[in-house]
Amino acid sequence: MNKSKNEKFLDPNLKNKSKTVEEKIQLYEFNGNMLPLPTEIEISESGTCNRSCSFCPRSAPDFVDKKEFIKNSLHEKLCVELQELNYKGTIRYSGFVEPMLDKNIFNLISMVRNYLPESNIEMVTNGDPLNLKRLKKLFEHGLNKVLISSYDGKMETEKLEEMCVKANLDPSQYMVRHRYYSEDQDFGITLSNRSGLMTNTEFKIEPLKEPLKNPCYIPSYTFFLDYQGDVLMCPHDWGKKIILGDLNKEKLKDIWFSKKFMGIRKMLNKSNRNFQPCNVCDVEGTFMGEKNASYFN
């Protein structure tokens, strides 16, 4: 964890994720061009979390926690449309929430596995609602990998790792991430200002005064769906400044290849971040997805 003052902590999973993004590219013919489908479908399947970490927008006094969850009908619509595309990429339950608070999560995972047998299903959890029985149940229902963020300390982290071993998980099936480090060690996470939404939080990160001058490839490989059906440009847009479509009413492929989505990719791939919320966002955006972006270029 030793790093210089200006060096950011980088999640060790970035390397694995980058490889997955590049290997899972599936091309689809659109208007005479072969363009990539999203290699990652990220589902923020509720409006609630049991924590309000200092480095998260949830620690802001005005953040509203909503104990609402994705409907089966919307989730199945997503699965059906992906099945029609013979989708083999990654489905990840993550986003702005704690997925294990959803009592229906096991059924959702089963649904994906049944519709998309060749997909990679992942979950990001803080580990609080986990026990050995639930952990085993996740994999019995079709999960491929669990990423556990441990916030309380080394002892608690070791217990989570022991639980994974007791569940007979292969090392490739889990990662327990140390998130309990101090502020000067970035808490053990790849910190960002959540597209400018960290001004009123416990640990403040100011919005950028000038946009970054580099590209951002995230919209070229990620399809981000929240529990209401809104499709966001990016998993860092906590303020939902750009909503690209409503999956309740539109098809995934129509949203993914929409004029608005394509226009955003074009600007970001050319290092143009002069629009909200990208103009205040401090996310590098180039750690992965360059190959995906090259097709859109």
Side-chain angles (χ1 to χ4, degrees), residues 127-290:
D128 293 345
L130 275 182
N131 56 35
L132 184 58
K133 182 179 178 181
R134 289 175 183 161
L135 182 59
K136 286 182 176 180
K137 191 175 179 180
L138 286 171
F139 286 87
E140 288 166 359
H141 281 69
L143 193 71
N144 290 102
K145 186 170 186 175
V146 61
L147 298 116
I148 307 173
S149 300
S150 179
Y151 296 113
D152 295 327
K154 186 177 180 181
M155 184 182 298
E156 289 77 12
T157 303
E158 289 174 351
K159 287 180 180 178
L160 288 167
E161 290 172 341
E162 289 171 6
M163 187 194 304
C164 293
V165 173
K166 286 180 181 178
N168 295 318
L169 299 183
D170 183 271
S172 65
Q173 293 178 296
Y174 71 93
M175 177 179 286
V176 181
R177 302 189 283 190
H178 299 234
R179 302 298 202 220
Y180 53 84
Y181 293 114
S182 61
E183 178 182 318
D184 63 348
Q185 292 175 306
D186 291 348
F187 306 100
I189 73 168
T190 307
L191 284 173
S192 80
N193 67 11
R194 316 288 184 163
S195 295
L197 216 67
M198 293 288 290
T199 56
N200 198 29
T201 50
E202 190 176 331
F203 178 76
K204 293 177 175 56
I205 309 176
E206 294 298 325
L208 297 183
K209 291 183 171 58
E210 293 290 333
L212 293 178
K213 304 299 182 184
N214 55 277
C216 179
Y217 304 135
I218 296 173
S220 292
Y221 66 84
T222 301
F223 185 91
F224 188 95
L225 175 71
D226 81 355
Y227 69 100
Q228 296 170 310
D230 291 332
V231 177
L232 308 187
M233 174 192 66
C234 158
H236 297 281
D237 185 12
W238 278 67
K240 296 178 71 170
K241 297 294 185 181
I242 296 181
I243 298 176
L244 295 165
D246 180 354
L247 195 66
N248 290 294
K249 302 173 182 177
E250 304 166 80
K251 285 192 171 186
L252 177 147
K253 67 177 182 179
D254 292 338
I255 298 172
W256 181 249
F257 294 117
S258 67
K259 185 177 180 180
K260 189 173 183 180
F261 216 151
M262 298 289 268
I264 285 171
R265 290 187 193 105
K266 184 176 181 179
M267 287 188 287
L268 290 177
N269 291 346
K270 291 185 176 181
S271 304
N272 178 2
R273 299 192 183 203
N274 294 306
F275 59 96
Q276 288 190 329
C278 300
N279 58 337
V280 297
C281 178
D282 64 353
V283 173
E284 178 74 18
T286 57
F287 290 132
M288 65 196 79
E290 184 176 6

Side-chain angles (χ1 to χ4, degrees), residues 51-67:
R51 287 184 178 250
S52 54
C53 300
S54 62
F55 45 81
C56 174
R58 288 182 173 275
S59 67
D62 57 348
F63 192 94
V64 180
D65 183 81
K66 296 182 180 180
K67 291 179 173 56

